[in-house]
Structure formats: C-alpha cells, structure tokens
Coordinates of all heavy atoms in Angstrom, one line a residue:
E1 N 25.9 110.0 185.0 CA 25.8 109.9 183.6 C 26.9 110.7 182.9 O 27.2 110.5 181.7 CB 24.5 110.4 183.1 CG 23.3 109.5 183.6 CD 22.0 110.1 183.2 OE1 21.9 111.1 182.5 OE2 20.9 109.5 183.6
I2 N 27.5 111.7 183.5 CA 28.5 112.6 182.9 C 29.9 112.0 183.0 O 30.9 112.5 182.4 CB 28.5 114.0 183.5 CG1 29.1 115.0 182.6 CG2 29.1 114.0 184.9 CD1 28.4 115.2 181.3
S3 N 30.1 110.9 183.8 CA 31.5 110.4 184.1 C 32.3 110.1 182.8 O 33.5 110.4 182.7 CB 31.4 109.2 185.0 OG 30.8 109.5 186.2
S4 N 31.6 109.5 181.8 CA 32.3 109.2 180.6 C 32.8 110.3 179.8 O 33.8 110.2 179.0 CB 31.4 108.3 179.7 OG 30.3 109.1 179.3
A5 N 32.3 111.5 180.1 CA 32.8 112.7 179.3 C 34.2 113.1 179.6 O 34.9 113.8 178.9 CB 31.9 113.9 179.7
Y6 N 34.7 112.6 180.8 CA 36.1 112.9 181.2 C 37.1 112.2 180.3 O 38.3 112.5 180.4 CB 36.3 112.6 182.6 CG 35.6 113.6 183.5 CD1 34.2 113.6 183.7 CD2 36.3 114.7 183.9 CE1 33.6 114.6 184.4 CE2 35.7 115.8 184.6 CZ 34.3 115.7 184.8 OH 33.7 116.7 185.5
G7 N 36.7 111.3 179.4 CA 37.6 110.8 178.4 C 38.2 111.9 177.5 O 39.2 111.7 176.8
A8 N 37.5 113.1 177.5 CA 38.0 114.2 176.7 C 39.3 114.7 177.1 O 40.0 115.4 176.4 CB 37.0 115.4 176.7
L9 N 39.8 114.3 178.3 CA 41.1 114.8 178.8 C 42.2 113.9 178.3 O 43.4 114.3 178.6 CB 41.0 114.8 180.3 CG 39.9 115.7 181.0 CD1 40.0 115.6 182.5 CD2 40.1 117.1 180.5
K10 N 42.0 112.8 177.7 CA 43.0 112.0 177.1 C 43.9 112.8 176.2 O 43.4 113.5 175.3 CB 42.5 110.8 176.4 CG 41.8 109.7 177.3 CD 41.3 108.6 176.5 CE 40.5 107.6 177.3 NZ 40.0 106.4 176.5
G11 N 45.2 112.6 176.3 CA 46.1 113.3 175.4 C 46.6 114.6 175.9 O 47.6 115.2 175.3
L12 N 45.9 115.2 176.9 CA 46.4 116.5 177.4 C 47.6 116.3 178.3 O 47.8 115.2 178.9 CB 45.2 117.1 178.2 CG 44.0 117.5 177.4 CD1 43.0 118.2 178.3 CD2 44.3 118.3 176.2
N13 N 48.3 117.4 178.5 CA 49.4 117.4 179.4 C 49.0 118.0 180.7 O 48.3 119.1 180.7 CB 50.6 118.1 178.8 CG 51.9 118.0 179.6 OD1 52.0 118.6 180.7 ND2 52.9 117.3 179.1
L14 N 49.4 117.4 181.9 CA 49.0 118.0 183.2 C 49.8 119.2 183.6 O 49.8 119.5 184.8 CB 49.2 116.9 184.3 CG 48.3 115.6 184.1 CD1 48.6 114.7 185.3 CD2 46.9 115.9 183.9
G15 N 50.4 119.9 182.7 CA 51.1 121.1 183.0 C 50.2 122.2 183.4 O 49.0 122.0 183.6
H16 N 50.8 123.5 183.4 CA 50.1 124.6 184.1 C 48.8 125.0 183.3 O 48.0 125.7 183.9 CB 51.0 125.8 184.2 CG 51.4 126.4 182.9 ND1 52.3 125.9 182.0 CD2 50.9 127.6 182.3 CE1 52.4 126.7 181.0 NE2 51.6 127.7 181.1
E17 N 48.6 124.6 182.1 CA 47.4 124.9 181.3 C 46.3 123.9 181.5 O 45.2 124.1 181.0 CB 47.7 125.1 179.8 CG 48.6 126.4 179.5 CD 47.8 127.6 179.7 OE1 46.6 127.6 179.4 OE2 48.4 128.6 180.1
F18 N 46.6 122.8 182.1 CA 45.7 121.7 182.2 C 44.3 122.0 182.8 O 43.3 121.7 182.2 CB 46.3 120.5 182.9 CG 45.3 119.3 183.1 CD1 45.0 118.4 182.0 CD2 44.6 119.1 184.3 CE1 44.1 117.4 182.1 CE2 43.7 118.1 184.4 CZ 43.5 117.2 183.3
M19 N 44.3 122.7 183.9 CA 43.0 123.0 184.6 C 42.2 124.0 183.7 O 41.0 123.9 183.7 CB 43.3 123.5 186.0 CG 43.8 122.5 187.0 SD 42.8 121.0 187.0 CE 41.1 121.7 187.4
K20 N 42.9 124.9 183.1 CA 42.2 125.8 182.2 C 41.5 125.0 181.0 O 40.3 125.3 180.7 CB 43.2 126.8 181.6 CG 42.5 127.8 180.6 CD 43.6 128.8 180.1 CE 43.0 129.8 179.1 NZ 44.0 130.7 178.6
Q21 N 42.2 124.1 180.5 CA 41.7 123.2 179.4 C 40.5 122.4 179.9 O 39.5 122.2 179.2 CB 42.8 122.4 178.8 CG 43.9 123.1 178.1 CD 45.0 122.3 177.7 OE1 45.5 121.4 178.5 NE2 45.5 122.4 176.5
A22 N 40.7 121.8 181.1 CA 39.7 121.0 181.7 C 38.4 121.8 181.9 O 37.3 121.3 181.7 CB 40.1 120.4 183.0
R23 N 38.5 123.0 182.4 CA 37.3 123.9 182.6 C 36.7 124.2 181.3 O 35.4 124.3 181.2 CB 37.7 125.2 183.3 CG 38.0 125.0 184.8 CD 38.2 126.3 185.5 NE 39.3 127.1 185.1 CZ 40.5 127.0 185.6 NH1 40.7 126.2 186.7 NH2 41.5 127.7 185.2
Q24 N 37.4 124.4 180.3 CA 36.9 124.7 178.9 C 36.1 123.5 178.4 O 35.0 123.7 177.8 CB 37.9 125.1 178.0 CG 38.6 126.5 178.3 CD 39.8 126.8 177.4 OE1 40.4 125.9 176.8 NE2 40.2 128.0 177.3
L25 N 36.6 122.3 178.6 CA 36.0 121.1 178.1 C 34.8 120.6 179.0 O 33.8 120.1 178.5 CB 37.0 120.0 178.0 CG 38.1 120.2 176.9 CD1 39.2 119.1 177.1 CD2 37.5 120.0 175.5
L26 N 35.0 120.8 180.3 CA 34.1 120.1 181.2 C 33.5 121.0 182.3 O 32.9 120.5 183.3 CB 34.8 118.9 181.9 CG 35.3 117.8 180.9 CD1 36.4 117.0 181.6 CD2 34.2 117.0 180.5
G27 N 33.6 122.3 182.1 CA 33.1 123.2 183.1 C 31.5 123.3 183.0 O 30.9 123.0 182.0
G28 N 30.9 123.8 184.1 CA 29.5 124.0 184.0 C 28.7 122.7 183.8 O 29.0 121.7 184.3
V29 N 27.7 122.8 182.9 CA 26.8 121.7 182.7 C 27.5 120.6 181.9 O 26.9 119.5 181.7 CB 25.5 122.1 182.0 CG1 24.7 123.1 182.9 CG2 25.8 122.8 180.6
A30 N 28.7 120.8 181.4 CA 29.4 119.8 180.6 C 30.1 118.8 181.5 O 30.7 117.8 181.0 CB 30.4 120.5 179.7
G31 N 30.1 119.0 182.8 CA 30.9 118.1 183.7 C 30.2 118.0 185.1 O 29.1 118.5 185.3
C32 N 31.0 117.5 186.0 CA 30.5 117.3 187.4 C 31.4 118.3 188.2 O 32.6 118.2 188.2 CB 30.7 115.9 187.8 SG 30.6 115.6 189.6
T33 N 30.7 119.1 189.0 CA 31.4 120.1 189.9 C 32.4 119.4 190.7 O 33.6 119.9 190.9 CB 30.4 120.8 190.8 OG1 29.5 121.5 189.9 CG2 31.1 121.7 191.7
H34 N 32.1 118.3 191.4 CA 33.0 117.7 192.4 C 34.1 116.8 191.7 O 35.2 116.8 192.3 CB 32.2 116.9 193.4 CG 31.1 117.7 194.0 ND1 31.4 118.8 194.8 CD2 29.7 117.6 193.9 CE1 30.2 119.3 195.2 NE2 29.2 118.6 194.7
I35 N 33.8 116.2 190.6 CA 34.9 115.6 189.8 C 35.9 116.7 189.4 O 37.2 116.5 189.5 CB 34.4 114.8 188.7 CG1 33.7 113.6 189.2 CG2 35.6 114.3 187.8 CD1 33.0 112.7 188.1
N36 N 35.4 117.8 188.9 CA 36.3 118.9 188.5 C 37.1 119.4 189.7 O 38.3 119.7 189.6 CB 35.5 120.0 187.9 CG 34.9 119.7 186.6 OD1 35.3 118.7 186.0 ND2 34.0 120.5 186.1
E37 N 36.5 119.4 190.9 CA 37.3 119.8 192.1 C 38.4 118.8 192.4 O 39.5 119.2 192.8 CB 36.3 119.9 193.3 CG 35.4 121.0 193.3 CD 34.4 121.0 194.5 OE1 33.9 119.9 194.8 OE2 34.3 122.0 195.1
L38 N 38.1 117.5 192.2 CA 39.1 116.5 192.5 C 40.3 116.5 191.5 O 41.3 116.0 191.8 CB 38.4 115.1 192.4 CG 39.1 113.9 192.9 CD1 39.7 114.1 194.3 CD2 38.2 112.7 192.9
L39 N 40.1 117.1 190.3 CA 41.2 117.1 189.4 C 42.4 117.9 189.9 O 43.5 117.5 189.6 CB 40.7 117.7 188.0 CG 39.8 116.8 187.2 CD1 39.3 117.6 186.0 CD2 40.4 115.5 186.8
T40 N 42.1 119.0 190.6 CA 43.3 119.8 191.1 C 44.2 119.0 192.0 O 45.4 119.0 191.7 CB 42.7 121.1 191.8 OG1 42.0 121.9 190.8 CG2 43.9 121.9 192.3
P41 N 43.8 118.4 193.1 CA 44.7 117.6 193.9 C 45.3 116.4 193.1 O 46.4 116.0 193.4 CB 43.9 117.2 195.1 CG 42.5 117.3 194.7 CD 42.4 118.4 193.7
A42 N 44.5 115.9 192.1 CA 45.0 114.8 191.3 C 46.2 115.2 190.5 O 47.2 114.5 190.4 CB 43.9 114.2 190.4
V43 N 46.1 116.4 190.0 CA 47.3 116.9 189.1 C 48.5 117.2 190.0 O 49.6 116.8 189.6 CB 46.8 118.2 188.4 CG1 48.0 118.9 187.8 CG2 45.8 117.9 187.3

C-alpha cells in the first residue's frame, strides 16, 4: 500500500544529498524498509 508514496521522489537529483532527502520523506512508517534499502544500489 505504501508503494505509491515513492512518487514523492520525482524531481529530486540523485546526487549526494538524495538518500538523506529520501529518508526524510520516506523513512520509518512513511515508507517501506526494503524499498528504501533498494534505493542505495539503484542510485
């Protein structure tokens, strides 16, 4: 049910601040632990 929340990442730059921004937007109960883990190798 949380998958659609990742649309919040549109418009961001995958530079060195991206994972920090992703954690702020989708960390904890706002996202999926394992999708968040997958973002690092994706970047």
